[in-house]
Amino acid sequence: MNRLKRFLFQIALWLLIWLTAWFFLGEDIQFLKENGFVFLFQILVVALLIFYTAPALLFKKKYVLFITLSIGLVLLCTFLIPNGSGVQGGGAPPGFRPGPGIGPPPGADMDLSRPPQRKPPPRFLINVLMLSIAYMAATFMETFLFARKKEEEIVVNKSEALQTELKLLKSQINPHFLFNSLNNIYALSVIDSGKTQQSISYLSDMLRYVLYECEQELVPLEKEVTYITNYIKLFSLKSSKTYPIESDFQVSNGGVRIAPMLFIPFVENALKHSNIEKITDTFIRMNLKADEHRIHFEIENSVPKTTVMKDEVGGIGIENVKKRLAILYPGRHELVINETSLAFKVNLNIDVNGNN
């Protein structure tokens, strides 16, 4: 609701209030004449609030200046209301004096037990009250709408920030995988050029997934599994030996959708730090079970007795996954990482439907 609509709403509101009061007071035309100027000055102070004092002072946190100017504005407008305008109290009009022949005759008994009739409050105070009520009601409404607008902006900005962070995290992940895959193909070309063509086919499928499928917010789980499988095949082609890698994928519904590139950093980490190329005394065991509601991913790799020197590229994969999980599945995932001198194990549970 823009300022003009809010101003017109205030006019309609106070017009309805005054007409209601006029109706319950007997539809006296004199009432409308006496309070018409009060209504007009109510609209004036509301207009000044909506179009100036609230946006220029209140919403910019100039509270002292806002309060001072508001009080001065209400008092000034009250002084400007013509004499004789205002809500009338009951009883005789102000200035009324009984004339000759009016009142009890001389010597008549007076009922001294009856309390004297109270005088109605001065019109000035009543007018101040009416203008103040209109001004404060409009202030409350403006503050409420401003706060709601700010809250909506915060929600939008937060959503945009999350999307930006997710894109940044993806941009950090994908080049890292591409770099490692090219390194694997380079190593393979030296060992067995006949397998290079097959590895390029795997890489082509992986790049197609990364460049096109991963642009979507969610992808089918089966495509994520295919990507992991191709990645392991590409890695295994580096040597004619069989790496001790065990994998078990039990997906009852491959169409279940999941955020892309969540599992591969753990796979890459296992391949990198298990010293799997040694073949003996090493292992990687991987399991993935999924249904329509939950996904359970588990991967465990051996830990070498001696520290293995690796390249410095990467080192951000698992931290990225933790951040993405916190953004995409808040309160809907459980990530447990256990490390001993013999093994490094990761357990990840994801509630894909949010039905905890």
Side-chain angles (χ1 to χ4, degrees):
M1 187 185 298
N2 57 33
R3 294 180 186 178
L4 180 59
K5 289 183 179 179
R6 298 199 302 270
F7 175 60
L8 294 177
F9 173 78
Q10 290 285 336
I11 293 178
L13 174 64
W14 285 104
L15 181 61
L16 177 63
I17 291 174
W18 281 111
L19 289 178
T20 302
W22 171 65
F23 175 78
F24 281 104
L25 290 176
E27 302 181 4
D28 186 2
I29 298 299
Q30 185 64 26
F31 176 85
L32 295 180
K33 292 180 180 179
E34 292 171 345
N35 296 285
F37 281 105
V38 178
F39 169 71
L40 294 178
F41 276 93
Q42 280 181 321
I43 299 306
L44 176 61
V45 296
V46 168
L48 290 173
L49 170 75
I50 294 176
F51 292 100
Y52 176 70
T53 57
L57 302 177
L58 178 61
F59 299 153
K60 293 184 178 180
K61 300 182 179 181
K62 300 178 181 179
Y63 301 125
V64 175
L65 186 57
F66 171 76
I67 294 174
T68 303
L69 187 60
S70 299
I71 294 174
L73 177 64
V74 170
L75 293 176
L76 176 63
C77 289
T78 306
F79 278 113
L80 292 177
I81 294 177
N83 240 351
S85 295
V87 179
Q88 289 287 348
F96 176 80
R97 295 290 185 271
I102 299 177
D109 292 336
M110 300 289 292
D111 187 0
L112 299 178
S113 63
R114 180 183 300 173
Q117 185 177 2
R118 293 183 179 180
K119 294 182 178 180
R123 289 179 183 170
F124 179 83
L125 294 180
I126 295 178
N127 293 342
V128 168
L129 178 62
M130 298 305 298
L131 295 186
S132 298
I133 291 175
Y135 194 85
M136 288 188 292
T139 301
F140 174 79
M141 181 173 293
E142 289 295 298
T143 304
F144 173 78
L145 294 176
F146 179 78
R148 191 175 69 174
K149 180 181 178 182
K150 282 295 181 182
E151 185 177 354
E152 292 174 354
E153 290 177 356
I154 290 174
V155 172
V156 172
N157 292 337
K158 185 177 180 180
S159 177
E160 292 177 352
L162 290 178
Q163 293 301 321
T164 301
E165 184 171 357
L166 285 174
K167 290 180 180 179
L168 176 61
L169 293 174
K170 283 184 181 181
S171 70
Q172 291 175 328
I173 290 173
N174 298 345
H176 185 34
F177 286 146
L178 178 60
F179 183 86
N180 283 351
S181 300
L182 290 174
N183 274 347
N184 291 345
I185 292 177
Y186 175 77
L188 179 62
S189 66
V190 176
I191 298 171
D192 186 351
S193 59
K195 295 183 179 179
T196 304
Q197 185 176 0
Q198 190 176 3
S199 64
I200 292 175
S201 175
Y202 291 146
L203 179 60
S204 176
D205 292 338
M206 293 169 64
L207 288 177
R208 187 180 299 110
Y209 175 74
V210 169
L211 295 176
Y212 298 105
E213 301 290 341
C214 289
E215 288 301 313
Q216 303 176 25
E217 184 178 351
L218 299 173
V219 297
L221 179 59
E222 60 182 356
K223 293 188 176 182
E224 187 79 357
V225 171
T226 301
Y227 182 86
I228 295 173
T229 302
N230 286 338
Y231 190 89
I232 296 174
K233 288 180 180 179
L234 183 60
F235 179 87
S236 299
L237 287 173
K238 290 171 57 177
S239 173
S240 59
K241 299 178 182 179
T242 301
Y243 292 120
I245 301 175
E246 300 176 11
S247 60
D248 181 19
F249 300 114
Q250 300 179 25
V251 181
S252 61
N253 183 1
V256 172
R257 303 183 72 81
I258 187 77
M261 310 297 283
L262 284 179
F263 308 118
I264 194 66
F266 298 115
V267 177
E268 184 193 29
N269 185 75
L271 292 172
K272 181 177 180 180
H273 296 289
S274 63
N275 199 18
I276 198 71
E277 293 92 341
K278 187 180 177 183
I279 306 297
T280 58
D281 298 327
T282 64
F283 66 88
I284 294 178
R285 291 189 285 265
M286 182 177 4
N287 295 283
L288 190 148
K289 298 179 180 179
D291 55 27
E292 291 80 3
H293 307 292
R294 299 189 67 84
I295 297 175
H296 173 72
F297 176 78
E298 178 181 301
I299 186 168
E300 183 179 14
N301 63 269
S302 56
V303 174
K305 295 180 180 179
T306 58
T307 304
V308 180
M309 298 301 296
K310 294 289 183 178
D311 59 85
E312 294 299 324
V313 177
I316 58 173
I318 292 181
E319 290 304 316
N320 268 348
V321 176
K322 289 180 180 179
K323 291 180 181 179
R324 293 186 67 203
L325 287 170
I327 293 173
L328 296 168
Y329 299 99
R332 296 165 50 196
H333 77 278
E334 181 183 15
L335 176 62
V336 179
I337 299 177
N338 294 313
E339 183 175 8
T340 67
S341 59
L342 299 177
F344 184 90
K345 188 173 184 180
V346 174
N347 276 284
L348 174 60
N349 289 285
I350 300 176
D351 179 7
V352 292
N353 294 325
N355 298 319
N356 286 328

